[in-house]
Amino acid sequence: MNLRFTFGMAWRDSRRARGRLLLFSFSVVLGIAALVAIGSFTANLRQAIEDQAKTLLGADLSVGSRSPLSPEVQKALDALGGEEAREVAFASMAVFPTSQNQTRLVSARAVSGAYPFYGDVVTLPVGVERAPREPGSDAVLVEESLFTLYGLKVGDPVKLGQHTFRVAGALHKMPGESAAVAMLQPRIYFPLERLPETGLAGPGSLLRYRTFVKLPPSRSAEDIVKELRDKFGSQRLNFDTVEERKRELGQSLKNVYAFLSLVGFVSLFLGGIGVASAVAVYIRDKVSTVAILRCLGASAAQSFAIYLVQGVALGAAGAAAGASLGIAVQLIVPLVVRDFLPFEVSFFVSWASVAQGMIAGLVICVVFCVIPLLSLRRVSPLLALRSAFIEKARRFDFWVGLLYAILLASVAGFAVWQTGNWRVGLAFAAGLIVTLAVLAGVARAFAWAARRLNVRTLPYVWRQGIANLHRPNNRTVLLLVALGLGTFLLVVLALSRETLLAQIGGRGAADRPNLLFFDIQDDQIEPLAKLFAREGAPMIAQAPIVTMRLSQLKGRSVQQILDDASQHIPSWTLKREYRSTFRDSLSSTEKILSGEFVSHVAPDVSPIPISVEEGLAKEMKLALGDEMIWDVQGVPLTTRVASLRTVDWQRLQPNFFIVFPAGVLESAPKTFVVATRCATPEDSSRLQQHVVQQFPNISAIDLATILQTLDNIFSKVEFVVRFMALFTMATGFVVLVGAVMTGRYQRVRESVLLRTLGANRRQLLGIQLVEYAILGALASVAGGGLAYVGNSLLARFVFHVPVVAPPLILLWSAGIVVLLTLGTGALANRGVTRVPPLEVLREET
């Protein structure tokens, strides 16, 4: 093949169509930009994790426990020869006297020592970060959000339990913790030596003890952890190292990166569809040129190669533009996700990620170009003397089928590669293909119905507008896919958010509790009940809580199971401290799946029949009759699984993994949790204040506050996802413009013929308005309907909650999509009705 002739002819032939070709390339620009931006930003994250690794923990080693460290463990830590700092953390109610004694559940941190050893604590004002750690200090650092919410100033009082502290400043940033985590339970740091004075560390208090260690350079944290686990395995210590933090953070960021990259790939895939449609129209206009080339001696392969070169150039231009835009977008991404990162991310361009995005975009563009280009093989020289059209092949085209197979395999392979899980990847690919197939099927079905619909009784403008949906060269399928896919992504996001918030808040259930009190001691239950009665708050539910740890499972010790890699039982199920309860009946949030719930047994019964939550049973591979031995604060209890039950964890009521029958744990050390409901926010605030004043150790969870906080977090997460979803919506808009522009010449011819037959400009504009209004409405209904189905599947199989689907979201999205379609159509077809008829009619002669 003569390459000089091929490239030269491709260049000369493109002279009158370069503007159209560049417009086609814009279809893939945003998809490439999304892949480049996310890929490069992920490389920045990985580098930041390596550069700031030690600030992820603030120390080399952290040792945690639910009780003070034993003298033996403390001696072993002291022998390491490093610096130490201590923290005792717990949930408590803080009282703000300067704000009318308002209360808020906080994460109280009693601290001592020079922690963090790595990284900087950022405070307002600057320089007060060490105030809670100074000997004899009464100073506290208060979360910046609380500082703003309650209008605090330096020197204002804050009460924790029975002790009043003075505010030293606002905490803006602490190494190793992101702002999103602090939003859910804001932190207050106070001196460890003041903990006894608060009265919050008495019997039954749920405290978490942590010792942070800065090791000498010669010591390895990983080796030390292994030694301590071997030596003190029976004490159930929790260890954290910098390497462990890096692994956990890397895994979580990998999941986020995979999701965002998949959204970017959807945008790129949609752009490829736009390119294929545009090239198909472009090639249809070039049939006569190809036929003439065939008459002059060019082979079918040469003719195909000429336009393939144009397609590759189109893809290269789109890849270059997309990479440039992606680098620019990368500057914005850190601002979008900074609240969810525990460190600062420095900007640099990852050229490997840029190359990957460009290659992916170029391959998609070329593959989608080649599919319509294959029709050039059937152009006969005889067509130069006939009407320029390509007859459709009546038999199966092997090469077209092969390209479609390669395309489907590429989509599935990319999804699996990004997610790192073949099931998830294939599910995503299947969902994308099904969504596109449904949208295309709806479009074709509607075009078929429009052709057979009896519209004789409708006005002339409506008849012509509906006819445009099924006439030759119509853009119905492409427009519906472009708009429908963008609508689907944005609507399913909004519906998922509504579903989660509705389940957490228990909307529509006036009898559900909205206030939860915990850490209640045995001797406080009756006085608390009397206080509730005085305030008119019913005690809807109460449950005793007994802390315990699993000692043996099915005749094997926990340590043996942890050491056996073939068991595949998550370590958290074996090592956690369980807060179990006992009662003689099921609660309203529970339902027995199998077995029999035993309500009461004699104190000397062994093994004790217990009920296990189904999710935990699956994780631990438990079945009815399996034996479990528990360590209840030093006392072993042998139990057997008597029943499995489902639990509605989203309901704000006392829910538990393990439920014992009555008659066994009554004498064990325990605390209580109580649920109630207040009619108004004012009643809730007043009740919390009375409880905190009379019982400082009792903490409360206010559902309204939790909902507000979660809504804030969801809004930030939603913004991050919507930021990426808008790439798909914007790509849909570009494809929409391109599709309308490719049909512009057809619209000009139609308007000229209609004007020749007597139609006026107002009627022509009305015909366009009807056509695009129907397309927009159909796209919004199809995309919105798929979004409702997708939300239902997510709610059932991912979130495991009832479906919430407000119809207003669909109406809102429908209005926006219809307006967008009308505006795009009007803009792209501007001036069509002003083309002189003689100009078009001359082209026909």
Side-chain angles (χ1 to χ4, degrees):
M1 185 179 295
N2 192 327
L3 294 180
R4 183 176 180 181
F5 166 77
T6 301
F7 281 95
M9 190 62 195
W11 174 258
R12 288 191 294 271
D13 182 74
S14 67
R15 285 175 180 172
R16 296 184 59 186
R18 288 171 190 165
R20 291 172 64 187
L21 289 173
L22 286 176
L23 177 62
F24 301 162
S25 70
F26 286 158
S27 297
V28 294
V29 164
L30 292 175
I32 296 171
L35 291 178
V36 169
I38 296 302
S40 190
F41 178 66
T42 301
N44 290 184
L45 286 179
R46 293 193 183 108
Q47 188 61 49
I49 291 174
E50 290 298 326
D51 294 342
Q52 306 178 51
K54 292 192 175 182
T55 66
L56 299 177
L57 183 60
D60 295 310
L61 172 64
S62 168
V63 182
S65 175
R66 282 295 180 181
S67 58
L69 298 181
S70 67
E72 295 79 12
V73 175
Q74 188 59 59
K75 183 178 179 180
L77 294 179
D78 295 340
L80 297 176
E83 294 184 56
E84 294 182 24
R86 291 174 177 79
E87 176 186 279
V88 179
F90 54 93
S92 179
M93 301 299 290
V95 182
F96 302 94
T98 57
S99 298
Q100 300 178 345
N101 287 322
Q102 293 189 62
T103 60
R104 176 67 188 270
L105 181 67
V106 300
S107 175
R109 313 281 185 92
V111 293
S112 69
Y115 178 83
F117 302 112
Y118 307 106
D120 298 321
V121 179
V122 180
T123 61
L124 298 173
V126 177
V128 298
E129 62 272 8
R130 297 293 177 185
R133 305 175 190 274
E134 295 175 358
S137 172
D138 254 337
V140 293
L141 288 178
V142 179
E143 192 76 53
E144 188 175 17
S145 59
L146 297 178
F147 212 85
T148 303
L149 179 63
Y150 296 109
L152 299 177
K153 301 186 296 293
V154 174
D156 281 351
V158 171
K159 189 176 181 182
L160 287 172
Q162 300 172 355
H163 191 79
T164 301
F165 298 89
R166 295 291 170 178
V167 174
L171 178 65
H172 178 71
K173 178 186 173 185
M174 174 66 71
E177 296 187 11
S178 65
V181 173
M183 287 172 60
L184 194 58
Q185 197 171 44
R187 300 159 292 183
I188 293 183
Y189 286 86
F190 68 96
L192 180 59
E193 62 184 285
R194 300 295 185 192
L195 179 58
E197 300 174 28
T198 64
L200 299 175
S205 298
L206 299 177
L207 308 178
R208 186 183 72 246
Y209 297 82
R210 286 208 296 177
T211 298
F212 299 97
V213 183
K214 180 182 179 182
L215 296 172
S218 60
R219 302 301 302 269
S220 167
E222 299 293 320
D223 293 340
I224 291 172
V225 167
K226 187 176 185 305
E227 293 174 9
L228 294 176
R229 278 181 174 153
D230 292 340
K231 190 173 182 179
F232 304 108
S234 62
Q235 298 194 29
R236 307 300 176 90
L237 302 175
N238 297 316
F239 299 97
D240 204 357
T241 65
V242 173
E243 291 300 320
E244 182 65 25
R245 283 287 178 95
K246 285 169 60 177
R247 286 191 291 268
E248 293 174 356
L249 184 60
Q251 184 60 39
S252 63
L253 292 177
K254 178 184 177 182
N255 294 336
V256 173
Y257 163 68
F259 172 75
L260 296 180
S261 294
L262 288 174
V263 174
F265 184 71
V266 171
S267 176
L268 180 59
F269 188 80
L270 179 58
I273 295 174
V275 168
S277 177
V279 170
V281 175
Y282 177 71
I283 291 302
R284 190 179 294 118
D285 294 339
K286 294 294 182 179
V287 168
S288 59
T289 302
V290 174
I292 293 173
L293 288 173
R294 296 296 308 280
C295 290
L296 295 176
S299 65
Q302 286 178 316
S303 302
F304 173 82
I306 290 169
Y307 293 99
L308 178 61
V309 168
Q310 292 183 359
V312 173
L314 180 155
S324 302
L325 180 59
I327 293 173
V329 171
Q330 187 192 344
L331 294 171
I332 304 173
V333 175
L335 301 177
V336 176
V337 301
R338 61 184 177 185
D339 286 343
F340 303 95
L341 299 175
F343 49 79
E344 297 292 336
V345 179
S346 301
F347 171 82
F348 67 89
V349 177
S350 171
W351 295 111
S353 300
V354 172
Q356 289 174 4
M358 292 181 67
I359 292 173
L362 183 60
V363 169
I364 287 291
C365 189
V366 171
V367 169
F368 275 99
C369 280
V370 170
I371 293 175
L373 285 177
L374 287 175
S375 60
L376 293 178
R377 296 173 301 146
R378 300 191 300 271
V379 175
S380 168
L382 193 60
L383 286 179
L385 305 176
R386 294 179 177 177
S387 298
F389 72 94
I390 303 176
E391 295 182 357
K392 293 184 179 180
R394 296 181 181 275
R395 58 187 178 83
F396 174 74
D397 192 323
F398 170 78
W399 292 106
V400 173
L402 179 62
L403 279 175
Y404 277 117
I406 292 173
L407 189 60
L408 294 177
S410 300
V411 172
F414 185 88
V416 172
W417 175 48
Q418 289 297 327
T419 59
N421 185 309
W422 69 270
R423 289 187 178 89
V424 176
L426 291 181
F428 175 85
L432 174 61
I433 293 170
V434 169
T435 300
L436 292 174
V438 169
L439 291 172
V442 169
R444 292 186 182 279
F446 189 79
W448 178 86
R451 182 186 297 274
R452 289 157 180 77
L453 186 67
N454 184 4
V455 295
R456 296 178 182 176
T457 58
L458 295 177
Y460 170 75
V461 169
W462 280 88
R463 295 200 306 271
Q464 289 296 324
I466 293 174
N468 282 347
L469 298 173
H470 61 77
R471 284 175 178 163
N473 299 320
N474 71 81
R475 307 280 86 198
T476 301
V477 174
L478 179 63
L479 293 175
L480 192 89
V481 169
L483 288 170
L485 189 58
T487 304
F488 166 77
L489 287 175
L490 293 178
V491 173
V492 77
L493 176 65
L495 290 175
S496 298
R497 179 173 180 270
E498 289 296 317
T499 297
L500 290 175
L501 284 178
Q503 183 64 12
I504 293 171
R507 296 175 188 173
D511 59 336
R512 290 188 183 180
N514 58 10
L515 197 57
L516 196 68
F517 292 92
F518 56 96
D519 284 354
I520 305 168
Q521 306 302 310
D522 265 325
D523 58 351
Q524 294 176 328
I525 277 289
E526 291 187 10
L528 188 66
K530 294 178 181 178
L531 176 59
F532 280 18
R534 288 199 306 269
E535 295 295 327
M539 192 174 286
I540 297 176
Q542 74 174 60
I545 298 177
V546 179
T547 59
M548 59 185 67
R549 288 185 179 274
L550 184 62
S551 177
Q552 292 186 30
L553 177 65
K554 302 179 185 178
R556 301 181 67 190
S557 71
V558 167
Q559 193 59 47
Q560 287 177 328
I561 299 174
L562 289 172
D563 294 339
D564 187 354
S566 65
Q567 290 296 312
H568 302 296
I569 296 178
S571 60
W572 69 267
T573 64
L574 302 169
K575 298 165 60 178
R576 67 171 286 138
E577 185 176 61
Y578 285 85
R579 295 176 182 85
S580 305
T581 191
F582 57 90
R583 56 171 176 254
D584 58 8
S585 62
L586 295 173
S587 70
S588 60
T589 62
E590 299 172 323
K591 182 180 179 182
I592 292 295
L593 285 180
S594 59
E596 179 184 0
F597 181 80
V598 179
S599 61
H600 192 280
V601 296
D604 58 348
V605 167
S606 184
I608 303 165
I610 60 172
S611 180
V612 182
E613 189 266 341
E614 61 160 342
L616 181 67
K618 289 180 181 178
E619 295 282 7
M620 302 181 75
K621 299 178 175 56
L622 289 173
L624 295 179
D626 284 346
E627 187 175 280
M628 308 172 76
I629 298 180
W630 301 90
D631 179 357
V632 184
Q633 302 178 38
V635 178
L637 284 182
T638 302
T639 64
R640 64 174 177 85
V641 180
S643 65
L644 301 178
R645 71 193 196 288
T646 60
V647 177
D648 185 356
W649 293 103
Q650 283 72 34
R651 294 269 295 274
L652 188 65
Q653 289 184 216
N655 292 316
F656 301 89
F657 282 121
I658 308 294
V659 175
F660 281 72
V664 178
L665 296 178
E666 280 78 356
S667 60
K670 57 185 176 296
T671 61
F672 288 83
V673 58
V674 171
T676 185
R677 180 173 184 84
C678 293
T680 65
E682 292 76 16
D683 292 340
S684 175
S685 178
R686 185 174 62 253
L687 178 60
Q688 291 181 63
Q689 291 179 21
H690 290 331
V691 171
V692 171
Q693 291 170 3
Q694 190 170 342
F695 310 105
N697 64 293
I698 296 178
S699 300
I701 297 179
D702 189 339
L703 176 58
T705 303
I706 292 293
L707 266 181
Q708 183 180 3
T709 305
L710 287 176
D711 191 36
N712 195 0
I713 293 176
F714 284 165
S715 296
K716 290 178 180 291
V717 175
E718 182 184 28
F719 179 74
V720 174
V721 179
R722 184 175 289 174
F723 179 77
M724 292 306 303
L726 283 176
F727 276 85
T728 302
M729 197 66 182
T731 299
F733 176 73
V734 173
V735 173
L736 174 64
V737 173
V740 174
M741 292 299 293
T742 57
R744 179 181 171 86
Y745 179 68
Q746 181 70 17
R747 293 290 177 264
V748 170
R749 294 180 70 253
E750 291 174 358
S751 68
V752 164
L753 293 174
L754 291 174
R755 286 174 64 189
T756 303
L757 295 174
N760 57 43
R761 183 173 298 173
R762 183 177 180 181
Q763 287 175 317
L764 295 177
L765 292 175
I767 291 170
Q768 292 181 20
L769 182 67
V770 169
E771 177 185 0
Y772 289 116
I774 293 175
L775 279 173
L778 184 62
S780 62
V781 171
L786 286 171
Y788 274 71
V789 173
N791 177 58
S792 299
L793 295 175
L794 286 173
R796 179 176 179 183
F797 297 108
V798 178
F799 304 134
H800 303 289
V801 298
V803 180
V804 174
L808 287 179
I809 291 180
L810 182 58
L811 295 177
W812 170 79
S813 63
I816 291 180
V817 172
V818 170
L819 291 176
L820 176 65
T821 310
L822 289 174
T824 304
L827 182 65
N829 286 316
R830 185 179 52 186
V832 166
T833 59
R834 296 189 180 92
V835 177
L838 191 59
E839 180 179 327
V840 176
L841 295 176
R842 281 174 177 171
E843 295 182 4
E844 299 295 322
T845 61

